Amino acid sequence: MKTRKIPLRKCVACQEMKPKKQLIRVVKTPEDVIMIDLTGKKSGRGAYLCGTEACFKLAHKNRSLDRALKSPVGAEIYEQLARDFVAAQDEFIASQSVSEDDE
């Protein structure tokens, strides 16, 4: 049986290549709304971050989300993303453990 190709993406903060399912996607929608996309299917320009708070803080410090999304990300948006990221991180870790049990 042929092995499945696993899509890789690069974390914008730490620059590590990882499987797409191990990263959290931050998307800028066509309506210029920046949000976390756990499904990975929302339309718009996306940037990937590792599922750790350290990578999120590094992306904030280096302004790498600004470059990846090709638009300035304001301080209030970073604060909102930080709150969402903590909630999404828990959900993301839970979904990772479920997918590992399936394999």
Side-chain angles (χ1 to χ4, degrees), residues 15-57:
Q15 303 297 310
E16 278 188 45
M17 294 292 287
K18 293 188 177 183
K20 185 178 175 181
K21 292 191 177 217
Q22 292 182 6
L23 299 171
I24 294 177
R25 183 172 187 243
V26 179
V27 66
K28 179 184 145 204
T29 63
E31 295 82 31
D32 291 333
V33 177
I34 298 173
M35 65 177 79
I36 292 177
D37 175 22
L38 290 177
T39 64
K41 297 182 186 222
K42 289 191 168 124
S43 65
R45 182 154 191 92
Y48 292 87
L49 286 169
C50 294
T52 62
E53 198 170 345
C55 272
F56 179 76
K57 288 180 180 179

Side-chain angles (χ1 to χ4, degrees), residues 39-80:
T39 64
K41 297 182 186 222
K42 289 191 168 124
S43 65
R45 182 154 191 92
Y48 292 87
L49 286 169
C50 294
T52 62
E53 198 170 345
C55 272
F56 179 76
K57 288 180 180 179
L58 183 62
H60 180 42
K61 178 183 172 191
N62 294 340
R63 312 287 293 169
S64 52
L65 276 178
D66 294 28
R67 288 189 298 277
L69 297 176
K70 294 187 177 179
S71 76
V73 179
E76 66 279 348
I77 294 174
Y78 269 113
E79 290 172 14
Q80 179 64 40

